[in-house]
Amino acid sequence: MSSYDDLASQALAEIEQADGIDALDALRPGLFGKKAALTEAKKSLGQLDPEQRKEAGQALNAARQQVEVAFETRRGALAASARTEALEAERMDLTEYLGSASPGHAHIVTQTRDRLEDIFIGMGYSVAEGPEVESAWYNFEALNIPEWHPARGSFDTIFVNLGEPEEVMLRSHTSPVQIRTMENQEPPIYIVCPGRVYRTDTADATHLPAFNQIEGLVVDKDITLGDLAGTINQFVKALLGDDIETRLRPSYFPFTEPSAEFDIRGLDGSWLELGGCGMVHPYTLRACGIDPEVWQGFAFGFGIDRLAVMRYQTDDLREFVNNDIRFLKQF
Ligand code: DAH
């Protein structure tokens, strides 16, 4: 009978050592099959005399039952931990990604554009937009830049291979939006037109081949150069602070007469050129079906990226498009 105990404790040890369901199931024939030691022992009961047989039978049953219970218990435990492991391994993380403390923000140029729009909306203007691919009429002709005009050359235009040569282009300034607006809208007109423009420039610290301008256009009655100067002064102060001075300097643009460049003076006392402006040329008003004897207008245009450089004191325009997060997150 003590050999039954030995068989049982040997079986229990094997069960305990099985480190997985498969390993445990592989033990089943050896523990309970036809040739298993406990099965063999049962067969040999028949050789005992009846008295001994009863006692030995009970002991053998008890031993076998003990092994069966241990087997099932172990199997249950192994199944449970296998399931836990699988759940852990296959778990899908459906929690929202909150990342670091910084959720990101608008690009420095977008911030500058938004601020400019806000200022002009506050002055009663609306925001107008136009296509980035333009025809020669909108980009040049209606702006009093006919085909033979030297100013065409100064725009370093990127042409699109479509239609007649040099007929379709990426707009080289936002001034075409003036034309589109005047063609479609009766005066009085008070608009700003921000947007991306293109030129054949190679990227360097002060140039990008794709950059952003904002155009302003006013067409109303009795509009004078004084209104233009006052408007420029007003928005520059709203944007950069009351200490900033502005001035107009004589210049030339085909679509304005007279024309000027406008400069701003920073706290260090030096003058910086910001953009161009002038009184809308009668030719351009007429080209858009507006009678220059009744209506006058002024217009201005400048680079938003360059303004962002001044506003945020950066020193290389290329930083705006490099997508270096260390640069971008400073602003
Ligand atoms: N379109 C000009 C440029 O890109 C800028 C400009 C000058 C716009 C004078 C104007 C203006 O509206 O009146 O160089």
Side-chain angles (χ1 to χ4, degrees), residues 155 172-173 175 178 199 213 215-216 253 255-256 276-278 299-301:
F155 279 103
S172 51
H173 50 173
S175 301
Q178 288 189 24
R199 294 195 195 169
Q213 283 189 337
E215 187 88 9
F253 297 99
F255 36 94
T256 44
C277 61
F300 56 87

Side-chain angles (χ1 to χ4, degrees), residues 143 155 172-176 178 197 199 211 213-217 228 252-253 255-256 259-261 275-280 298-302:
L143 289 160
F155 279 103
S172 51
H173 50 173
T174 42
S175 301
Q178 288 189 24
V197 301
R199 294 195 195 169
F211 56 105
Q213 283 189 337
I214 186 164
E215 187 88 9
L217 172 71
L228 169 60
Y252 172 76
F253 297 99
F255 36 94
T256 44
S259 302
E261 219 91 55
C277 61
M279 303 306 290
V280 181
F298 66 73
F300 56 87
F302 58 92

Side-chain angles (χ1 to χ4, degrees), residues 114-131:
D114 288 349
R115 181 78 188 108
L116 283 165
E117 287 182 14
D118 284 352
I119 290 171
F120 281 106
I121 287 169
M123 291 164 77
Y125 288 59
S126 358
V127 177
E129 286 181 309

